[in-house]
Amino acid sequence: MKVFISSVIRGLEVYRDAATRAARALRHEVKRAEDFAASAATPQQACLAGVRWADVVILLLGSRYGDRQASGLSPTHEEYREARERCPVLVFIQQNANFDPDQQSFV
């Protein structure tokens, strides 16, 4: 199975790594933003392509919403919207997180 891991990167590194290890231990193929090589595509275009490639998306939500893109949404929010139309999305929300207002609305 092809798994895409979506979240803000800063602050959730430990969770992203744990999700990656777990998926790979189950012999799934994993893609995440930090694994993409340099290309002509923007980072967000590459991540949305990763979502389209995936059979399932793991969405990790912590306290930060992330920087808004031209769409007005964070990259993670854009990835979620793309994924929910295409494949199952497994959402994990950090317990006891102090969500910023935008993230609280997203959660």
Side-chain angles (χ1 to χ4, degrees), residues 6-18:
S6 174
S7 76
V8 295
I9 295 175
R10 191 174 43 122
L12 293 179
E13 297 91 345
V14 172
Y15 300 105
R16 293 174 65 79
D17 290 343

Side-chain angles (χ1 to χ4, degrees), residues 76-88:
T76 304
H77 201 156
E78 288 180 347
E79 292 161 10
Y80 166 72
R81 284 197 168 174
E82 183 76 22
R84 73 178 184 192
E85 301 298 323
R86 301 178 175 279
C87 64

Side-chain angles (χ1 to χ4, degrees), residues 3 9 11 39 50 56 71 98 103:
V3 178
I9 295 175
S39 76
V56 64
S71 68
N98 185 18
Q103 186 71 330

Side-chain angles (χ1 to χ4, degrees), residues 37-82:
S39 76
T42 67
Q44 193 54 16
Q45 289 170 332
C47 287
L48 291 174
V51 169
R52 289 188 289 276
W53 162 88
D55 297 314
V56 64
V57 170
I58 296 175
L59 178 65
L60 306 173
L61 299 176
S63 61
R64 292 183 51 249
Y65 182 70
D67 297 328
R68 290 185 180 274
Q69 304 297 298
S71 68
L73 302 173
S74 71
T76 304
H77 201 156
E78 288 180 347
E79 292 161 10
Y80 166 72
R81 284 197 168 174
E82 183 76 22

